[in-house]
Amino acid sequence: MSDMEMLKKMLRAVLQSNKNGVSLSRLQADYKSLTGEYIPHKQMGYPSMEAFLHSIPSVVRMERSRMGEVVCFAAVCKETAHIAQLVARQRTSKKAGCSQLVNCQMRVKPTTPFVLNAKPRTSLRQPDHTGRTGRGVTHPGGRPGCYGDHRQACMRDTQPDGRVTMPQMRAPSMQMKKAPVQCERSDKRLTLPSRFQKEVHAHLSRNSQQSSVPAAPNESVPPGKPRLPQSSGYNPQVVQNRLKEVLNKHSNGFWVSKLPHLYRELYKQDLPMDALKELEHWSHICTVEKPCSSNPSERLLYPSKDIHQTKAPSLPPARQKSYIPARAAPAPAPPPPAELPPDVKLKLAELLGKYSNGLWAHALPKLFQEAYKAKFPEHVLSDLSLLADISTVEYPMPDNTKKAILYARAAEDENRNRLDPGAGPRAREEVGRRLSSQAVPPLAIPKEEYPSVLVVEAASTNSVILRYIGEGYSQAQEQLEDEMREFYGQGGARKALLSPATGQLAAVKAEEEEEEEVLRAQVCDVMADKVKVYYVDHGFSEVIGKRKLLDLHEKFFRLPFQAAKVKLAGLEPFCQEPAVLKRFESLACGKILLAEILQREETPLVVLYDTSQDDDVNINAACLKAMQDKSLENPLQVNSTYTNVSVTNVCSDGTIFCQLPSRGLAKLNEILEKTEAYFQSQVTSEFLVSRPFCGKCCLARYKGKWSRVEITNLHGSRVLDIQFVDLGVPASVEVIELREIPPPFLRELIAIPPQAIKCCLADLSVSVGSWTPDAVMWLRDAVLNSTDCSMKVAKLDTAKGVVHIHLYTSKGAADAGRSVNRQLADSDVWKHQKDVFLSSRSPSRAPAPPSSKPSSPPPAAAPRAEPGKGPAAPPQLPPLLELPQAGHNMDIYVSVACHPGHFVLQPWQDLYKLVVLMGEMILYYNKMEEKPLSVEKNQIYAAKVENNWHRVLVKGILTNGLVSVYELDYGKHELVSLTQLQPLINEFRQLPFQGITAQLAGVKPRQWSEEASIVFRNHVEKKPLVAQIEAVHEATQPWDRKVVVYLVDTANEEKDIWVHDIMSEFADELSKAA
């Protein structure tokens, strides 16, 4: 493969991973992050990058954005079209044997692993040896130390008898001033080793984001073989704290032989055997009683007498990881005067059960009061141990013991099942399948968050038939059908099924003009000379002649039935509405879509997306809109004038949202008033939104009143973005602010179309994009929240859903010269600039973001530096991330992987803390007004990157108003607008920066090729792994620290994968091939 062809493949991979395109100014940085090199356009004879891209239209399609910036998109080619144009060979009820070619230019949805299940993580399985180039002794009894739970055993220092000794701690290496010398790279393109060719080519030919990462691969439990983390080298303090919780739940005592089972059920770990031997010595924790028996396991275990007499002070949560700094633990609180009444505890358990991904403790009083119309017992917040039997507690923010998250105990297993779709046996689709002495295994739900699916049909939105696409699913099905065609094509293999029985599996001949297909089917009904069969892999039924039935050979029982049934979220009350089903058939049937799996159960709950167009289409939301009553819409007409117009929002791009008097608005206000009274009369928690998803319609408060909202984006499980659909106002809120629409009013509210009309001022469009901040502020001051405006429709742009209007601030509008349009155009603030970014550097005031404040104000924060002034003293930096000493293990997650010489890791067990922090930052900064800010290089700020707020280091300030920043928690480089920076307040400086730069140990430093980088990324990026620390290079600044580590993938129970072995073998084979 030539250098040019390889460059095209890598460039296409970069572009395909960004559905919204990559700006020309950012393309080089993205390409370098993937390959480790820049695009050498000058070496290929092109004076500029743009000229080079114009020369390869088969790879790049360039467009100019509204802001005047050149944006690059991936062009579709035959080589990558197999992702988007899948030949599904799907049979339909209309023509049973006809192959169907499904064309769908499908774009994958980027996933954010672990965000939706931002809960504390258990330790990963630790490796047992050091691989092919092993550096230590393989120990038979114990495991190497994991920094996550104080397993201090070291591979180097394990004794032959399995006993663990503390390693000789050596001082970490100091930061090297010079980078390691890189080996010179030959200009000659090396032949790729055959073992790795398939892996590299598969990566190049697919979208780099195609395969979503399982939420926790190393925590998966294969069916029939539950695996729990081992516990050698255990921490007694952790086990003692957990034992207290077990005894608290079983205060009347239990047999010691039951303790391992109880411990495993609660903590998903085996109880260390050494702990069983030491129970008698833990008199401050428990009392061991020996009945008259010689069996040592027949002992009774009771809580310690001291525990019975005195309530234990509030303790850190049982799952609190031992490497968390001591300052993060909550301070002991005085015991409450009395236990909680059982009915109060039951109500609190019900509240916690509604939020399986955790609930802030400080939110309990408000929710309790609203749901049960009773006062919350405030003393519970000062002693959360009162809730120990119904919840576990986590403290995600260091030095802030008042910020605690409560997790319902009953929800732990549910969350694990979501992370591990293969855990535990499922009886789904197995009932009635045991036929011919064979059992067909159940179909496993894909581990990906967004698996590709082929939609077959739907008689109800609660029973949508589809097929999963990919390896192990559609590919395995095609291989099975090929084998069946070959098998039954042999004359001797044809064995007719003479006496079919209802429920029996059979092979069915489906004659074609060219060849004969054989499909798997199940007999549904037996008639005189015909039978009704259900094609178990294609999802439809058909009546056929008995002569087509053949005996299904036992070897074709191994593959699960491929036709799966799912339920569409949000459409349950309208599951059989003809309008909904008709809309679904037109939007989804016969297409390849993406399915977001919300709930993994017998019939999975999903949201379907069509990503074949420029904008994603939420199929669930689109079907729900079919229930809207068109007679309640506002039929706008060109040149018509409308009075009593209320301007509800002015966006930063000049877009205006208006409300017009109408039947729909009057009916909406009436129903919302009834809803308010209904909520006041109900004593229940059933209206709390426990499972949010994009496109969901619910209620939230706006200026003290309930209003309809649609969820537009999720930032984890607790923070989300919403749109007030009747006001055109976006906001970021916590999930506890949302309420379900009460069933008595659901149909009426869904039937009313959104009452916010999206408008723009006619003749005032700005070609380069957003308006200047001064112009937006002028317009807001003039018309926002005015209720007596009038407007004249100039144009209806139905394609974009925008109405071009002339706006007037008085009812008697007639003179175009008095319109807001003309006043703004004649004002000094209206300036057409060649580069709108320059306006962001102006000291003039900036507009507030178009967000409302439906939830509580931002949390109290330390005073910030005044805008426009540089910091008088060095800002407070977070504490350093604690790293284990050399030779010890650490559970990590690789967020960025360029090549073995440079990647970024995060502490695996603290990922949930980062998600919580980013959620708090979104709530805080999205409610702030933009203010002029003097940005300085090498200083720390908060920056908005896409829809999230990150802690960043400013690396450079460009002349066009863009700023180069480095994400300190993820290790990524980004370009953002200067207006997207805010001061990082002290509250968000408590958690250590989570991104640590790393280098792979066990391999020689070199200039890594693109192929080697791809192999490395495939094995480590976006995965939880175990890192064994080889060296820690300290530095003056936390972002300059570097670790040298061995990486081990322990997801496979049978063997450990040492990444340095793979890379060493790859390098050796490349050298031989050269």
Side-chain angles (χ1 to χ4, degrees):
M1 184 180 296
S2 67
D3 289 352
M4 175 59 78
E5 290 303 315
M6 179 59 69
L7 188 150
K8 288 181 179 180
K9 284 181 175 290
M10 300 303 296
L11 182 57
R12 187 177 289 117
V14 171
L15 296 174
Q16 285 180 334
S17 65
N18 294 272
K19 69 175 184 180
N20 295 321
V22 181
S23 64
L24 183 61
S25 59
R26 178 179 156 185
L27 183 59
Q28 280 281 31
D30 283 12
Y31 185 87
K32 187 176 187 297
S33 69
L34 180 67
T35 66
E37 297 177 349
Y38 290 111
I39 300 174
H41 59 86
K42 291 186 178 179
Q43 298 177 18
M44 292 183 287
Y46 296 93
S48 66
M49 173 65 71
E50 190 168 357
F52 167 66
L53 296 178
H54 276 299
S55 71
I56 49 174
S58 62
V59 178
V60 184
R61 173 173 57 88
M62 290 190 289
E63 296 180 3
R64 191 169 292 274
S65 69
R66 292 184 307 169
M67 306 177 75
E69 192 172 22
V70 176
V71 181
C72 305
F73 298 87
V76 177
C77 69
K78 293 181 180 179
E79 190 169 7
T80 57
H82 72 280
I83 301 171
Q85 300 174 335
L86 176 66
V87 181
R89 301 203 300 186
Q90 170 66 17
R91 280 78 183 175
T92 67
S93 56
K94 297 178 182 178
K95 191 172 182 182
C98 180
S99 297
Q100 179 185 4
L101 177 62
V102 181
N103 293 318
C104 179
Q105 301 296 328
M106 187 178 60
R107 178 181 62 252
V108 301
K109 289 181 72 67
T111 59
T112 51
F114 318 114
V115 168
L116 297 181
N117 283 281
K119 298 186 69 174
R121 302 284 163 180
T122 56
S123 300
L124 304 179
R125 184 179 69 78
Q126 300 300 292
D128 295 319
H129 55 81
T130 53
R132 178 171 61 88
T133 56
R135 302 155 41 249
V137 181
T138 301
H139 52 91
R143 292 189 305 167
C146 173
Y147 188 48
D149 55 2
H150 274 228
R151 290 178 290 228
Q152 298 295 330
C154 177
M155 294 182 187
R156 307 168 188 270
D157 305 283
T158 308
Q159 301 302 311
D161 59 357
R163 292 183 294 108
V164 177
T165 62
M166 295 301 294
Q168 297 178 354
M169 301 303 180
R170 62 185 183 188
S173 306
M174 297 305 293
Q175 174 72 17
M176 295 179 292
K177 294 184 179 180
K178 294 184 179 180
V181 178
Q182 302 291 335
C183 296
E184 293 185 2
R185 181 186 176 192
S186 171
D187 292 334
K188 180 181 178 181
R189 175 68 58 182
L190 298 178
T191 303
L192 198 62
S194 57
R195 173 187 166 185
F196 300 98
Q197 284 180 358
K198 182 178 179 181
E199 180 175 357
V200 174
H201 291 163
H203 174 87
L204 292 174
S205 63
R206 72 170 188 264
N207 187 316
S208 61
Q209 298 292 330
Q210 175 71 23
S211 298
S212 305
V213 180
N218 284 15
E219 292 182 340
S220 63
V221 184
K225 187 179 180 181
R227 170 173 56 79
L228 301 171
Q230 304 172 29
S231 303
S232 64
Y234 78 101
N235 181 8
Q237 185 62 43
V238 172
V239 176
Q240 288 176 7
N241 287 340
R242 291 176 172 179
L243 183 55
K244 285 182 182 179
E245 289 195 346
V246 175
L247 292 168
N248 189 37
K249 291 175 68 70
H250 304 274
S251 56
N252 293 326
F254 53 86
W255 292 104
V256 171
S257 59
K258 297 291 185 183
L259 180 58
H261 173 72
L262 295 173
Y263 190 93
R264 187 183 301 110
E265 269 195 343
L266 279 176
Y267 306 110
K268 303 301 181 280
Q269 283 185 315
D270 286 327
L271 177 70
M273 296 306 296
D274 292 341
L276 279 175
K277 301 174 183 177
E278 297 174 9
L279 288 176
E280 295 183 7
H281 304 293
W282 293 350
S283 57
H284 62 296
I285 302 294
C286 58
T287 299
V288 181
E289 201 173 278
K290 296 182 179 179
C292 298
S293 172
S294 59
N295 188 346
S297 65
E298 292 183 4
R299 294 176 294 170
L300 289 170
L301 200 63
Y302 297 97
S304 170
K305 295 179 180 179
D306 296 336
I307 295 179
H308 277 299
Q309 293 170 359
T310 307
K311 177 78 178 175
S314 179
L315 293 171
R319 292 181 295 169
Q320 188 89 1
K321 303 307 172 190
S322 55
Y323 68 88
I324 295 175
R327 62 179 181 276
E339 291 285 340
L340 282 177
D343 61 325
V344 173
K345 189 172 290 189
L346 185 64
K347 291 176 180 177
L348 290 174
E350 189 179 73
L351 280 180
L352 293 177
K354 297 290 288 187
Y355 301 104
S356 60
N357 288 300
L359 176 67
W360 285 111
H362 64 74
L364 278 176
K366 179 183 176 182
L367 287 177
F368 191 88
Q369 169 70 33
E370 187 174 324
Y372 303 112
K373 311 300 185 289
K375 184 172 176 149
F376 178 77
E378 296 288 345
H379 67 273
V380 172
L381 296 182
S382 60
D383 187 2
L384 295 177
S385 65
L386 288 169
L387 307 177
D389 55 339
I390 63 171
S391 69
T392 55
V393 191
E394 294 291 342
Y395 298 85
M397 294 188 176
D399 296 328
N400 191 348
T401 59
K402 295 182 179 180
K403 299 283 282 189
I405 299 179
L406 302 175
Y407 297 91
R409 286 197 178 277
E412 293 177 15
D413 291 337
E414 176 187 341
N415 190 59
R416 283 179 198 280
N417 289 340
R418 175 171 180 170
L419 293 177
D420 180 11
R426 289 190 178 93
R428 182 179 75 257
E429 298 195 20
E430 195 168 351
V431 178
R433 308 297 196 195
R434 292 184 172 274
L435 304 159
S436 304
S437 304
Q438 296 291 329
V440 178
L443 182 67
I445 301 174
K447 295 180 180 180
E448 294 92 340
E449 186 180 357
Y450 292 97
S452 301
V453 298
L454 171 61
V455 179
V456 180
E457 62 181 12
S460 162
T461 61
N462 284 346
S463 181
V464 176
I465 306 298
L466 51 75
R467 290 175 53 193
Y468 296 115
I469 303 300
E471 186 178 358
Y473 297 96
S474 61
Q475 294 178 15
Q477 170 63 22
E478 292 173 11
Q479 182 179 352
L480 174 75
E481 291 183 1
D482 290 340
E483 292 175 357
M484 291 180 67
R485 182 171 59 250
E486 181 180 355
F487 178 82
Y488 288 102
Q490 303 170 3
R494 291 176 178 269
K495 184 180 178 182
L497 192 60
L498 300 177
S499 302
T502 301
Q504 187 172 3
L505 288 181
V508 176
K509 296 181 294 182
E511 285 97 355
E512 293 292 315
E513 295 181 0
E514 298 181 358
E515 58 183 5
E516 184 179 90
E517 294 286 344
V518 183
L519 310 178
R520 296 191 300 178
Q522 185 175 25
V523 178
C524 300
D525 189 18
V526 180
M527 293 165 272
D529 57 346
K530 294 182 180 294
V531 291
K532 183 179 181 180
V533 296
Y534 176 77
Y535 293 101
V536 294
D537 297 310
H538 298 275
F540 68 93
S541 299
E542 186 182 28
V543 177
I544 62 173
K546 285 186 177 180
R547 62 181 181 80
K548 291 186 177 182
L549 288 183
L550 301 175
D551 183 61
L552 185 63
H553 192 274
E554 61 181 19
K555 71 178 182 178
F556 300 123
F557 281 77
R558 292 193 294 267
L559 184 69
F561 301 148
Q562 295 300 297
K565 185 184 298 183
V566 299
K567 181 166 57 176
L568 300 187
L571 294 173
E572 294 89 343
F574 315 104
C575 61
Q576 292 186 323
E577 288 289 336
V580 171
L581 295 177
K582 183 178 179 181
R583 179 72 60 87
F584 180 80
E585 183 177 1
S586 64
L587 293 177
C589 286
K591 290 186 178 180
I592 297 176
L593 306 175
L594 295 183
E596 179 185 10
I597 302 176
L598 303 178
Q599 190 172 347
R600 297 178 181 273
E601 50 187 14
E602 183 175 347
T603 301
L605 187 68
V606 304
V607 179
L608 297 178
Y609 296 92
D610 184 352
T611 61
S612 62
Q613 306 301 320
D614 292 338
D615 296 320
D616 293 348
V617 177
N618 185 315
I619 301 297
N620 299 41
C623 290
L624 189 62
K625 288 179 173 61
M627 295 297 298
Q628 293 178 358
D629 186 349
K630 301 296 183 182
S631 66
L632 298 178
E633 289 182 342
N634 271 308
L636 300 179
Q637 295 181 353
V638 177
N639 293 327
S640 296
T641 301
Y642 301 88
T643 58
N644 296 319
V645 176
S646 175
V647 178
T648 57
N649 189 27
V650 177
C651 302
S652 58
D653 61 353
T655 302
I656 300 172
F657 284 90
C658 303
Q659 275 188 352
L660 274 64
S662 65
R663 287 179 51 238
L665 183 59
K667 186 175 182 179
L668 173 67
N669 292 333
E670 178 186 350
I671 298 174
L672 289 177
E673 289 178 4
K674 293 180 180 178
T675 302
E676 180 78 39
Y678 184 82
F679 279 144
Q680 294 293 333
S681 66
Q682 299 298 305
V683 181
T684 178
S685 64
E686 67 175 297
F687 301 121
L688 301 178
V689 175
S690 59
R691 185 174 287 107
F693 56 87
C694 287
K696 180 180 177 62
C697 291
C698 46
L699 301 175
R701 287 196 178 275
Y702 181 79
K703 295 184 177 179
K705 295 184 178 180
W706 291 111
S707 183
R708 295 190 301 175
V709 300
E710 180 178 340
I711 298 175
T712 57
N713 193 25
L714 297 174
H715 304 280
S717 57
R718 285 179 288 273
V719 178
L720 38 80
D721 295 335
I722 60 175
Q723 177 88 2
F724 288 89
V725 296
D726 301 307
L727 302 165
V729 175
S732 297
V733 300
E734 292 185 81
V735 68
I736 59 174
E737 305 289 340
L738 303 181
R739 296 294 179 270
E740 298 282 1
I741 300 176
F745 311 111
L746 179 61
R747 281 186 173 270
E748 290 182 290
L749 282 179
I750 294 299
I752 301 175
Q755 294 300 298
I757 300 175
K758 186 177 181 180
C759 308
C760 67
L761 297 182
D763 305 324
L764 285 181
S765 59
V766 182
S767 59
V768 295
S770 299
W771 286 20
T772 62
D774 286 339
V776 175
M777 185 60 69
W778 185 96
L779 185 58
R780 285 179 176 165
D781 291 341
V783 301
L784 191 59
N785 296 323
S786 297
T787 58
D788 60 348
C789 293
S790 59
M791 71 180 200
K792 184 176 181 179
V793 178
K795 177 184 175 182
L796 295 175
D797 189 345
T798 54
K800 296 182 179 179
V802 179
V803 181
H804 296 252
I805 64 171
H806 292 280
L807 187 64
Y808 303 87
T809 54
S810 60
K811 295 181 180 179
D815 185 5
R818 298 173 54 190
S819 68
V820 173
N821 308 47
R822 179 59 60 85
Q823 294 177 41
L824 178 57
D826 294 341
S827 68
D828 293 334
V829 300
W830 184 255
K831 298 176 181 179
H832 296 277
Q833 301 182 29
K834 295 181 179 179
D835 190 344
V836 75
F837 287 119
L838 296 178
S839 65
S840 66
R841 303 173 65 86
S842 170
S844 60
R845 51 182 187 161
S851 61
S852 63
K853 297 179 175 59
S855 60
S856 56
R864 295 182 295 160
E866 292 184 14
K869 296 182 180 180
Q876 172 190 348
L877 290 176
L880 285 178
L881 180 67
E882 293 186 6
L883 296 172
Q885 293 179 329
H888 283 220
N889 288 3
M890 179 181 182
D891 296 342
I892 60 95
Y893 177 76
V894 179
S895 59
V896 173
C898 294
H899 50 76
H902 179 83
F903 55 96
V904 179
L905 53 83
Q906 299 168 310
W908 165 250
Q909 292 167 336
D910 267 2
L911 275 181
Y912 82 101
K913 294 184 179 181
L914 180 57
V915 173
V916 170
L917 172 69
M918 292 182 66
E920 293 296 296
M921 291 175 67
I922 289 169
L923 292 175
Y924 182 86
Y925 289 113
N926 280 3
K927 295 174 185 175
M928 289 182 58
E929 292 189 3
E930 297 177 4
K931 295 182 179 179
L933 184 66
S934 177
V935 176
E936 297 184 9
K937 190 176 178 181
N938 295 324
Q939 294 297 323
I940 306 300
Y941 297 90
K944 190 172 185 179
V945 182
E946 296 181 347
N947 291 319
N948 292 304
W949 285 90
H950 293 262
R951 301 187 294 181
V952 301
L953 173 72
V954 172
K955 303 290 287 185
I957 304 173
L958 309 182
T959 57
N960 62 352
L962 297 179
V963 181
S964 172
V965 298
Y966 176 74
E967 295 176 3
L968 293 162
D969 296 304
Y970 288 90
K972 296 180 181 178
H973 292 270
E974 298 285 355
L975 280 177
V976 299
S977 171
L978 190 63
T979 60
Q980 300 301 311
L981 292 181
Q982 291 285 354
L984 186 67
I985 62 175
N986 284 338
E987 181 177 350
F988 304 139
R989 293 174 178 258
Q990 305 307 311
L991 182 70
F993 295 136
Q994 298 294 291
I996 297 293
T997 304
Q999 174 183 334
L1000 185 65
V1003 293
K1004 296 179 181 179
R1006 71 189 70 212
Q1007 182 74 29
W1008 294 97
S1009 65
E1010 292 92 342
E1011 296 88 349
S1013 300
I1014 290 172
V1015 170
F1016 179 70
R1017 276 192 296 274
N1018 284 347
H1019 285 281
V1020 304
E1021 194 168 49
K1022 303 293 187 292
K1023 288 184 179 181
L1025 305 168
V1026 177
Q1028 185 180 104
I1029 307 296
E1030 174 71 9
V1032 178
H1033 302 310
E1034 297 293 351
T1036 306
Q1037 300 294 351
W1039 49 85
D1040 291 328
R1041 300 171 83 198
K1042 186 174 184 178
V1043 294
V1044 182
V1045 297
Y1046 290 87
L1047 295 179
V1048 198
D1049 187 345
T1050 60
N1052 190 328
E1053 177 69 23
E1054 304 302 327
K1055 68 173 183 177
D1056 302 328
I1057 300 175
W1058 289 77
V1059 178
H1060 71 282
D1061 285 352
I1062 296 174
M1063 300 314 300
S1064 297
E1065 181 180 350
F1066 185 89
D1068 292 346
E1069 293 195 24
L1070 277 182
S1071 300
K1072 295 176 182 177

